[in-house]
Amino acid sequence: MTRQPRKQRTRKRNAPLHERHDQVRATLADDLREEYGQRSVRVNAGDTVEVLRGDHAGEEADVLAVDLADEVVHVEGVTVEKADGEEVPRPLDASNLRVTDLDLEDDRRQARLEADNE
């Protein structure tokens, strides 16, 4: 791994999608951290998160979408007003979120979380 910031930025910018999954991980709430034995988890649409930084800090809402290409998360109720008055979802970095409730409708995700716990 290189130590040069320029090469690190380039590698992150040109990363394939399967490597970008690691860039949309957020910390788990304390109770979930104990239950699953993990410190962080990939954020998925449907999860409930708490915003930790910015103007919307302290708000808790559902995740609407996760954009892997831009490595951002869109949370319900966290919007910004455009010049024409339209409200659009504000993109948030996953590091500024804490997952408080997981959407476990996906059996593979649930199995993966429980397998890591063993």
Side-chain angles (χ1 to χ4, degrees):
M1 183 77 187
T2 182
R3 288 173 39 191
Q4 292 183 339
R6 171 178 43 114
K7 286 187 179 181
Q8 289 182 3
R9 285 190 299 267
T10 301
R11 183 176 170 91
K12 183 175 177 179
R13 184 176 54 245
N14 296 333
L17 277 179
H18 73 278
E19 289 180 7
R20 290 178 187 251
H21 287 278
D22 292 335
Q23 300 300 322
V24 289
R25 292 180 70 89
T27 60
L28 279 172
D30 292 335
D31 57 334
L32 293 175
R33 194 177 286 191
E34 278 185 31
E35 182 179 348
Y36 294 110
Q38 290 185 343
R39 189 173 177 86
S40 65
V41 70
R42 184 194 183 283
V43 179
N44 282 355
D47 290 346
T48 304
V49 296
E50 176 188 0
V51 181
L52 300 176
R53 298 281 185 266
D55 297 335
H56 299 278
E59 291 185 22
E60 193 169 317
D62 290 337
V63 174
L64 295 176
V66 178
D67 187 359
L68 287 179
D70 294 332
E71 299 171 359
V72 295
V73 179
H74 298 287
V75 178
E76 184 178 356
V78 178
T79 59
V80 64
E81 187 174 336
K82 289 173 46 174
D84 64 359
E86 182 184 357
E87 295 276 332
V88 294
R90 180 177 187 163
L92 299 173
D93 193 72
S95 66
N96 296 327
L97 304 173
R98 177 187 298 137
V99 178
T100 57
D101 189 34
L102 294 168
D103 178 26
L104 296 176
E105 289 184 12
D106 184 10
D107 295 332
R108 289 192 312 180
R109 183 182 195 199
Q110 186 170 3
R112 190 177 314 118
L113 284 169
E114 291 170 356
D116 290 343
N117 193 15
E118 293 175 356

